[in-house]
Amino acid sequence: MSDINLAQAVDLSKVIQEAKEDIPDADKAKQLPEPKGYRMLCAIPEVEGTFESGLLKADDTRRIEEHSTVVLFVVKMGDLCYKDESRFPTGAWCKEGDFVITRAYAGTRITIHGREFRIINDDTVEAVVQDPRGIKRA
């Protein structure tokens, strides 16, 4: 187990809070979609703005890295996620708050207040990772 503070590694809670602050109180509950059935709502962690050498990344480079990422953050799970005991005999593969590995470009992409989210199927998860820093698509 790692002693890394994931809140410092990738803080996605502020994204949800910032989205709520930009809209009237009556509409706050409607901003993040409720995944249905066996689907999960996942956020895409922010891509670093610089290369390891310290050079700044172009906006297009950052956008490509975000679109092709294999790391997602599970925000919400549908009511049927991992309920099929014949497909998931050992139980759920992940839970809300986990960083998961999926295939690049997996899921339905949506943008909420400039932030990209994906809706994926429960069987799309290939691994759970504690510390997503440094993981990139090969």
Side-chain angles (χ1 to χ4, degrees), residues 20-135:
K20 288 180 179 180
E21 291 171 358
D22 292 342
I23 54 176
D25 288 340
D27 294 330
K28 285 183 182 180
K30 300 176 189 172
Q31 289 302 297
L32 286 180
E34 277 299 319
K36 299 296 180 184
Y38 53 86
R39 292 180 176 83
M40 298 187 289
L41 176 68
C42 298
I44 296 180
E46 283 188 26
V47 173
E48 292 183 26
T50 59
F51 290 102
E52 290 178 15
S53 65
L55 291 174
L56 291 176
K57 293 180 182 177
D59 288 341
D60 286 342
T61 301
R62 292 182 70 197
R63 194 170 14 266
I64 289 168
E65 286 183 20
E66 284 181 353
H67 290 175
S68 65
T69 187
V70 295
V71 177
L72 301 175
F73 179 79
V74 179
V75 177
K76 292 183 180 182
M77 297 174 77
D79 58 334
L80 296 178
C81 279
Y82 303 112
K83 299 290 187 207
D84 185 346
E85 292 181 12
S86 65
R87 293 181 71 210
F88 308 106
T90 59
W93 293 351
C94 67
K95 62 186 180 313
E96 291 178 3
D98 280 348
F99 288 97
V100 296
I101 304 291
T102 64
R103 293 181 182 264
Y105 306 104
T108 302
R109 294 176 39 213
I110 59 173
T111 303
I112 303 171
H113 296 290
R115 184 72 188 201
E116 186 172 327
F117 292 83
R118 290 198 196 152
I119 298 174
I120 63 169
N121 296 338
D122 57 2
D123 63 354
T124 305
V125 172
E126 296 186 2
V128 175
V129 63
Q130 242 186 4
D131 182 3
R133 293 177 293 182
I135 296 176

